[in-house]
Amino acid sequence: MASTQTDTIDLSKFPVDRIRNFCIIAHIDHGKSTLADRLLEMTGAIVKTQKNKQVLDKLQVERERGITVKAQTASLIYSHQGQQYLLNLIDTPGHVDFSYEVSRSISACQGVLLIVDANQGIQAQTVANFYLAFEAQLAIIPVINKIDLKNADPERVASQIEKVFDIPCNECIRISAKLGTNVEAVLQAVVDRIPPPVASIDDPFKALVFDSNFDHYRGVVANIAVFGGRVRKGDRIVSAYLGKSYEVNELGILRPDEHPTQKLFAGQVGYMVTGMKDVKEAQIGDTLYLKEQPVETLPGFKPAKAMVFAGMFPTDQSDYPGLRSAIERLTLNDSSVTVQRDSSMALGAGWRLGFLGLLHMEVFNQRLEQEYNASVIVTAPTVPYKAVLSSPRLIKNRRGIQKNMVYIDDKRVMMKYLFPLNEIVVDFYDLLKSLSSGYASFDYENAGYQAADLIKMNILLNGQPVEELITIVHRGRAYSAGKAMCERLQDSIPRQMFEIAVQASIGSKVIARETIKAYRKNVLAKCYGGDITRKMKLLKKQAEGKKKMRLIGNVEVPKDAFINVLKRKDK
Amino acid sequence: MIQHTLRASRRAVSAALRRFSETSGGEITEEDGLERTGSPAEQASLYVHWPYCLRRCSYCNFNKYISREDNDHIMTECIQRETETLLRLSQVSCITSVFFGGGTPSLAHPSTIAAVLQTVSRWARLSDKAEVTLEVNPTPVGKSKLEDYCRAGVNRFSIGVQSLQDEDLKILGRDHSSHQALQTVEEARRLCPGRVSVDVMFGRPKQSVESWENELSELLRVCDDHVSLYQLTLERGTRLFKQVLGGEVTVPAEDVTAEMYRCARRTLQQRGFLQYEVSNFARHKAASHHNTSYWKGRQYIGVGPGAHGRFVPLGEGGVHREARTQTLEPDVWIREVRQRGHGTRRRIQLGHLELLEEVLVMGLRMTDGINHEHWEMFSPHLGLREVFGTSREVQELLQSGQLILDDRGLRCSWDGLVLLDSMLPALLVELERQIGPSLQRDHHTDGSPH
């Protein structure tokens, strides 16, 4: 990716009034990243070639899935009416799981480009992101994209935008990001309609950390938005969160690749390397200031709340250290994953991880496998037994008790329910989103422990209890859970010389049962010269497998059987 | 009076033992009608593979080919050549039995048989009394050649009857009727009385336990002294497999075939046949010597495309027994034999443990199992009791009556034989556990694996 401008940019040439900080927000696949590509090309940050597809999506998993996972930043230089402007663009993920990233980016901006697909019109994330920007009081520029497509109906979408968001039709810019049509107008609108940052170069230095990365050679690389003053390489700065001081080793802007500079000024967005070794030191939402000049801290962020939980275990306990270091390194760059150690009788030591959503978890797993070569068993997590709170069919099936219902406005309602935690940890969030076409949002609080009708369910093989599979279930759930476990075991345990009774029981009462028939005949019919080699190979394989089996009473159980029973059952 | 009681009790004991007793015929003794000369290293049986068939049966996944041109002459030549090469390589001086299998060996010209036997005699000793078996496909053509085969040196016939129901023969893709098969059996019995074996299949589509019992009765009226019973096994890639997968054809359920096998065993026993191996039954000592060689872990030389062998290539200075396979494809095999005298595709050395594993797995298929002397030939330092006596799992198998370990040796019980493959993994694990460490020891003391 070659740059067509000189590599050293004198940032002092950009006073605050010629800086614009903005992001692009939209529903998934409405074209944010394509528009970002066009803007980068048009301002010379990258050379215009066919290969500039979603340049900002750097992660392998992003490229493969065609989604943005981590927000990236790029500074663009735009000439307008004889003046040069510094436009700082922050790309954001569109998927609902990553709305946390969106709100962080927004805090560093003064305006947003709200993209809406010219055929699909307003969708769930369009609305969600609009509210984020609206509540943050940012300038909102609606952009109707994909006008080149056959089914595009920009008129309809423009009037939809007017009705829902109260933004006049004529403010909508109609473009095709793919073909570049009218994209110039977007740049002009950014300059004209988005206010410059409110920041003075004469104020004491003050910056917001809105993102961070971990680089193995340099340590933590923090993305900062400078809210006042200036900072220079070599300055000593302080992190308000920890009270620790650091020296500025490196400073620069992102084009989108790093372009080191000597100084950064008020209103600008860039990166800073200070020798921090632990990404927790660069707390998102933290305020940085010069050592001799403490300032009032900026309002920080609420930590992201995990919505989907899973247990993760190494396939073999010998892989534990490898997996631990892989999880540590991945979470360095993804602080919205909550991590807790956990252990299972069947699978050994592992973790309980919390994610922003199912996609977030899938992406995490994929990155574990691709970038760190880890092989993981993913299970439904164990839940601490306290009660938790928290939809009609959805609500009823999950033992939710309604507590409260409030109308926010003529289009939105907020409902409060009391739920048991284990009913929501696995897939409640995901189901809620799909039942409401993505429009519903969900937040929860721990409401403390509550007495519940819970029982201990045992799994027995020919009368012998299997300790690793003991579960605590709600009495009403016991039968279905027990039956499901028995069926899975029936499929995973190989036949033996005697019948095997697989039972689920509560106390002494058997509530579910499956049977594995005994072999009545198991001997190869023909075994002459040519058959011997093949038969020996098969038998040796079985003998090897046998060594790895666990004996429960007389019954030989392969490790896979435990995994199959405990594994997360996703659709 | 005491004598009378003793005699009576002895009789009672004998009756109880009759199931696998020594008296009702079929037990294999080393000297059974055969002069064995030399040590085991100097002896082997010979298997010759004739790869051609006229058609492929719907259940068959053997190494067989439909021959288009008349390749017989070339094939015969190459078989002779490879026989010579491998005899010299193995330095075997006595061939104890010969088996012509395939394919359809009864498509070969009787002169082929004669030529091969001549080659054997030229390079090793082939006793007049050595068992020479030919597999026969019971078509009228096959039947007409039997006499010539006898003249060429064949003294035992194995006839692929498979079924006495003509519709079933069609489903199996066979090219003869049951009547023709029975006629072939009759002719074979005339030529080699007491030395004819019949192959039958159970677990066929549309079979029931009752129809099977009837069929077996009918067969037993006309067969000779040896019967091989095979459960139909569906092999991937066969036409029958695809038909079953597609739902066009169904085979009997597993518990039904188990019952068929059980009934057959009992019926044959009632008619005086001794079951000496999982699928093989004989009366009047008509057991197959050649096949017994496999199960007793003796050397064998495999000649022809896809044939398998187990011998020590003493001629090359080899010291370990090797598992050898000849090239599968006839045309390629022919080329290789012409180029270097044999078409061996794979050779794998069998270490001490591997050899013992084969002895164990094959030996237990025989109802007599493995006796202590036999085991000692392969494992002079560790006897059966030392290897298997201490294992908890083996103890359980012994206690449940599936396995027997006593003064005679190690063998399956009547019930245990049916579940042999369920017991073998545990036995193999135990064998490895016991022999493994001693392997290390040997390795360290004399520097070379035993």
Side-chain angles (χ1 to χ4, degrees):
Chain A
M1 232 175 21
S3 170
T4 58
Q5 300 215 311
T6 51
D7 283 12
T8 38
I9 297 165
D10 186 1
L11 289 174
S12 62
K13 282 202 337 213
F14 295 98
V16 170
D17 59 333
R18 275 194 275 119
I19 297 176
R20 303 289 184 271
N21 296 327
F22 69 105
C23 35
I24 311 179
I25 58 179
H27 187 80
I28 195 165
D29 280 346
H30 279 201
K32 292 182 312 308
S33 299
T34 314
L35 178 57
D37 286 349
R38 284 297 88 66
L39 297 178
L40 286 168
E41 277 171 14
M42 288 179 64
T43 53
I46 55 178
V47 170
K48 194 178 161 95
T49 66
Q50 286 290 58
K51 298 214 194 90
N52 286 337
K53 287 220 161 104
Q54 271 124 13
V55 164
L56 294 183
D57 290 334
K58 289 189 185 145
L59 298 177
Q60 177 185 0
V61 65
E62 287 178 339
R63 294 204 133 108
E64 277 177 15
R65 288 188 176 230
I67 57 170
T68 310
V69 171
K70 265 197 95 40
Q72 310 278 352
T73 304
S75 298
L76 320 170
I77 298 182
Y78 178 55
S79 293
H80 180 56
Q81 291 171 347
Q83 299 265 44
Q84 281 216 317
Y85 291 85
L86 182 63
L87 308 181
N88 296 316
L89 156 63
I90 301 174
D91 194 12
T92 62
H95 193 275
V96 61
D97 280 9
F98 303 111
S99 53
Y100 179 58
E101 299 262 345
V102 175
S103 62
R104 277 157 48 173
S105 311
I106 276 181
S107 62
C109 302
Q110 285 75 49
V112 298
L113 299 175
L114 178 66
I115 304 192
V116 187
D117 182 306
N119 174 37
Q120 282 195 9
I122 294 178
Q123 297 294 313
Q125 286 312 101
T126 321
V127 174
N129 287 330
F130 169 79
Y131 279 118
L132 281 177
F134 185 74
E135 278 152 15
Q137 294 177 321
L138 303 186
I140 301 178
I141 302 176
V143 175
I144 300 180
N145 188 22
K146 305 200 192 179
I147 55 174
D148 56 299
L149 292 182
K150 212 163 43 138
N151 291 332
D153 190 351
E155 286 298 332
R156 173 177 56 87
V157 174
S159 69
Q160 190 188 32
I161 291 176
E162 181 162 333
K163 213 163 48 172
V164 178
F165 298 139
D166 229 354
I167 301 176
C169 287
N170 57 16
E171 285 191 30
C172 296
I173 307 178
R174 301 158 196 219
I175 66 166
S176 161
K178 186 164 80 172
L179 304 174
T181 318
N182 213 13
V183 176
E184 179 83 32
V186 172
L187 284 167
Q188 285 167 11
V190 169
V191 171
D192 294 339
R193 299 195 230 166
I194 296 182
V198 174
S200 168
I201 216 169
D202 301 318
D203 286 343
F205 169 64
K206 183 155 121 173
L208 171 76
V209 178
F210 66 91
D211 199 1
S212 68
N213 280 313
F214 187 76
D215 179 297
H216 285 281
Y217 300 107
R218 300 178 292 166
V220 178
V221 179
N223 282 28
I224 59 173
V226 184
F227 276 61
R230 72 182 90 184
V231 65
R232 195 181 0 223
K233 200 163 134 178
D235 281 348
R236 278 211 82 81
I237 54 126
V238 177
S239 142
Y241 177 66
L242 290 172
K244 276 174 81 167
S245 80
Y246 304 89
E247 182 180 310
V248 178
N249 293 340
E250 222 183 291
L251 213 52
I253 59 171
L254 298 158
R255 299 267 292 143
D257 288 344
E258 290 177 358
H259 263 68
T261 59
Q262 286 296 318
K263 306 186 197 148
L264 277 181
F265 300 89
Q268 293 174 351
V269 167
Y271 68 93
M272 179 188 280
V273 180
T274 58
M276 288 175 187
K277 292 293 184 300
D278 189 339
V279 88
K280 295 196 218 340
E281 291 176 82
Q283 183 75 352
I284 309 302
D286 195 9
T287 308
L288 302 175
Y289 53 87
L290 288 175
K291 189 148 189 228
E292 315 78 41
Q293 298 186 295
V295 299
E296 215 176 275
T297 51
L298 297 159
F301 292 103
K302 259 185 6 192
K305 216 133 187 213
M307 294 288 172
V308 168
F309 297 83
M312 288 206 189
F313 296 85
T315 316
D316 195 86
Q317 276 299 287
S318 61
D319 296 329
Y320 179 87
L323 183 57
R324 180 185 55 206
S325 94
I327 289 181
E328 277 173 7
R329 281 149 72 196
L330 246 190
T331 51
L332 277 183
N333 266 337
D334 190 349
S335 54
S336 49
V337 175
T338 60
V339 180
Q340 239 177 305
R341 290 239 273 265
D342 196 5
S343 86
S344 143
M345 281 198 78
L347 304 172
W351 292 266
R352 188 187 329 148
L353 300 173
F355 300 94
L356 302 177
L358 208 59
L359 176 67
H360 188 197
M361 182 184 86
E362 283 171 16
V363 167
F364 187 86
N365 275 344
Q366 196 173 343
R367 290 182 71 186
L368 262 185
E369 284 182 23
Q370 281 174 346
E371 294 171 40
Y372 298 93
N373 254 323
S375 72
V376 188
I377 301 168
V378 182
T379 71
T382 54
V383 158
Y385 270 92
K386 300 201 172 200
V388 171
L389 313 181
S390 66
S391 110
R393 194 184 358 137
L394 182 63
I395 307 296
K396 268 226 195 79
N397 280 352
R398 301 300 177 105
R399 299 186 278 138
I401 303 166
Q402 186 171 30
K403 287 284 168 189
N404 185 323
M405 189 154 95
V406 162
Y407 284 91
I408 300 171
D409 56 32
D410 61 348
K411 293 193 197 67
R412 296 185 289 170
V413 62
M414 180 163 85
M415 301 182 279
K416 251 199 178 140
Y417 284 89
L418 192 62
F419 272 110
L421 177 62
N422 80 333
E423 294 294 348
I424 61 167
V425 285
V426 178
D427 56 5
F428 178 82
Y429 181 66
D430 211 61
L431 278 173
L432 178 67
K433 283 288 179 183
S434 64
L435 282 176
S436 63
S437 305
Y439 280 92
S441 73
F442 174 63
D443 193 6
Y444 65 88
E445 269 169 18
N446 189 338
Y449 286 89
Q450 206 179 65
D453 196 5
L454 298 170
I455 40 178
K456 181 173 103 158
M457 183 171 76
N458 280 314
I459 298 288
L460 306 161
L461 292 176
N462 278 349
Q464 240 346 54
V466 184
E467 269 190 78
E468 294 87 331
L469 299 177
I470 294 178
T471 42
I472 295 177
V473 286
H474 187 267
R475 192 176 294 274
R477 282 247 173 274
Y479 174 70
S480 60
K483 186 153 200 316
M485 282 179 90
C486 287
E487 282 170 357
R488 282 192 171 200
L489 275 173
Q490 186 191 39
D491 289 337
S492 334
I493 298 179
R495 291 172 74 180
Q496 289 165 51
M497 285 167 74
F498 42 82
E499 188 177 89
I500 303 172
V502 183
Q503 295 167 315
S505 74
I506 297 172
S508 57
K509 177 156 174 250
V510 172
I511 58 167
R513 180 191 163 125
E514 296 295 332
T515 308
I516 301 174
K517 289 202 306 201
Y519 268 122
R520 283 203 55 197
K521 178 173 187 283
N522 184 21
V523 61
L524 182 64
K526 283 193 181 191
C527 201
Y528 303 109
D531 311 301
I532 296 175
T533 308
R534 187 163 72 144
K535 182 62 180 170
M536 290 309 299
K537 204 160 140 190
L538 177 61
L539 283 171
K540 298 287 315 254
K541 201 166 111 182
Q542 289 174 326
E544 281 305 304
K546 198 182 172 67
K547 288 192 220 164
K548 299 194 187 133
M549 299 229 197
R550 187 137 153 45
L551 210 56
I552 311 257
N554 275 354
V555 181
E556 283 177 342
V557 183
K559 185 152 139 210
D560 280 353
F562 291 103
I563 294 175
N564 283 343
V565 171
L566 296 173
K567 190 165 73 167
R568 212 187 150 85
K569 310 113 184 134
D570 288 324
K571 338 118 208 125
Chain B
M1 163 89 149
I2 299 173
Q3 270 194 341
H4 175 74
T5 320
L6 280 175
R7 231 177 280 136
S9 59
R10 214 178 293 133
R11 239 178 288 134
V13 171
S14 298
L17 285 177
R18 194 171 294 276
R19 291 193 147 167
F20 296 159
S21 81
E22 275 97 338
T23 55
S24 53
E27 204 223 39
I28 314 306
T29 59
E30 304 285 343
E31 300 74 31
D32 221 346
L34 179 72
E35 300 145 41
R36 287 179 184 274
T37 53
S39 65
E42 294 171 334
Q43 293 175 7
S45 53
L46 177 69
Y47 172 83
V48 180
H49 190 82
W50 185 262
Y52 300 119
C53 286
L54 289 178
R55 349 183 317 189
R56 184 181 278 276
C57 298
S58 66
Y59 56 88
C60 178
N61 72 333
F62 285 175
N63 190 38
K64 55 179 11 146
Y65 301 82
I66 319 294
S67 108
R68 259 155 277 158
E69 334 107 49
D70 184 33
N71 241 357
D72 288 12
H73 183 63
I74 301 171
M75 180 58 64
T76 304
E77 239 180 53
C78 291
I79 288 178
Q80 287 179 281
R81 177 91 197 279
E82 189 168 64
T83 302
E84 174 191 331
T85 310
L86 295 183
L87 276 172
R88 295 168 74 176
L89 182 61
S90 64
Q91 291 196 353
V92 159
S93 58
C94 173
I95 291 292
T96 52
S97 62
V98 181
F99 193 102
F100 291 89
T104 310
S106 54
L107 283 177
H109 199 272
S111 60
T112 297
I113 309 302
V116 175
L117 293 175
Q118 260 166 36
T119 305
V120 174
S121 300
R122 207 175 305 138
W123 295 99
R125 201 176 118 69
L126 178 65
S127 160
D128 297 335
K129 299 207 192 76
E131 181 188 88
V132 178
T133 313
L134 182 85
E135 270 182 351
V136 175
N137 187 32
T139 57
V141 170
K143 171 172 164 240
S144 68
K145 292 158 91 172
L146 292 183
E147 192 159 4
D148 287 333
Y149 284 129
C150 272
R151 280 200 213 102
V154 172
N155 55 33
R156 185 171 178 272
F157 290 111
S158 172
I159 306 189
V161 171
Q162 314 308 355
S163 163
L164 292 180
Q165 319 285 6
D166 285 329
E167 307 88 64
D168 288 7
L169 288 171
K170 280 214 172 51
I171 295 174
L172 294 174
R174 306 288 290 170
D175 57 355
H176 57 86
S177 70
S178 77
H179 180 66
Q180 288 165 344
L182 291 175
Q183 284 187 323
T184 310
V185 171
E186 202 185 315
E187 171 73 352
R189 286 183 74 187
R190 180 182 74 79
L191 293 163
C192 298
R195 299 173 70 85
V196 176
S197 170
V198 166
D199 277 10
V200 207
M201 231 184 240
F202 66 93
R204 308 186 312 251
K206 299 198 293 180
Q207 224 184 7
S208 69
V209 175
E210 204 188 321
S211 70
W212 169 238
E213 297 225 60
N214 292 336
E215 192 174 354
L216 206 48
S217 301
E218 207 190 314
L219 181 72
L220 287 170
R221 279 202 303 270
V222 296
C223 71
D224 200 31
D225 289 337
H226 190 283
V227 174
S228 296
L229 285 185
Y230 298 117
Q231 179 171 334
L232 174 63
T233 333
L234 291 174
E235 301 279 5
R236 287 202 100 87
T238 58
R239 196 171 3 121
L240 191 63
F241 185 85
K242 290 193 191 86
Q243 286 172 325
V244 170
L245 216 60
E248 300 162 48
V249 160
T250 52
V251 286
E254 204 214 322
D255 50 332
V256 175
T257 53
E259 184 58 25
M260 287 179 184
Y261 183 60
R262 200 187 67 80
C263 285
R265 290 173 94 190
R266 201 192 42 208
T267 303
L268 284 162
Q269 186 194 54
Q270 283 165 359
R271 303 292 195 95
F273 284 82
L274 172 72
Q275 178 176 18
Y276 66 99
E277 190 263 355
V278 172
S279 303
N280 287 281
F281 302 75
R283 58 185 173 193
H284 309 140
K285 299 192 184 222
S288 161
H289 291 120
H290 185 86
N291 291 333
T292 304
S293 279
Y294 294 139
W295 302 316
K296 292 236 170 180
R298 301 201 190 110
Q299 294 197 118
Y300 52 99
I301 299 173
V303 167
H308 288 242
R310 293 278 193 285
F311 60 86
V312 181
L314 292 172
E316 282 178 353
V319 291
H320 295 287
R321 180 183 287 201
E322 289 181 355
R324 301 170 66 104
T325 317
Q326 310 309 97
T327 298
L328 265 75
E329 241 259 280
D331 295 335
V332 182
W333 175 83
I334 287 171
R335 206 181 324 136
E336 287 175 19
V337 171
R338 283 176 157 170
Q339 271 172 11
R340 50 194 179 100
H342 66 106
T344 306
R345 178 53 61 90
R346 274 181 74 178
R347 302 165 50 172
I348 300 175
Q349 275 190 11
L350 295 176
H352 180 59
L353 177 61
E354 280 90 41
L355 190 50
L356 280 177
E357 284 171 345
E358 286 198 357
V359 170
L360 178 72
V361 169
M362 295 303 129
L364 285 177
R365 289 184 67 89
M366 302 203 71
T367 52
D368 281 346
I370 305 163
N371 64 33
H372 292 291
E373 297 78 45
H374 179 67
W375 181 259
E376 202 181 352
M377 283 196 321
F378 297 94
S379 173
H381 302 298
L382 273 178
L384 285 168
R385 281 207 173 87
E386 285 159 291
V387 176
F388 297 110
T390 54
S391 154
R392 185 193 60 90
E393 227 178 315
V394 174
Q395 284 301 322
E396 278 172 17
L397 291 172
L398 294 171
Q399 255 152 36
S400 69
Q402 317 278 42
L403 207 55
I404 300 169
L405 177 58
D406 62 11
D407 290 339
R408 272 168 58 186
L410 180 71
R411 63 192 178 282
C412 294
S413 67
W414 175 270
D415 293 318
L417 191 65
V418 179
L419 293 170
L420 175 60
D421 290 356
S422 293
M423 301 196 280
L424 284 173
L427 294 170
L428 286 171
V429 168
E430 196 55 29
L431 180 62
E432 196 188 345
R433 198 176 294 153
Q434 298 293 337
I435 300 288
S438 73
L439 267 183
Q440 300 279 51
R441 276 203 308 275
D442 289 345
H443 197 89
H444 288 135
T445 52
D446 60 17
S448 59
H450 188 63

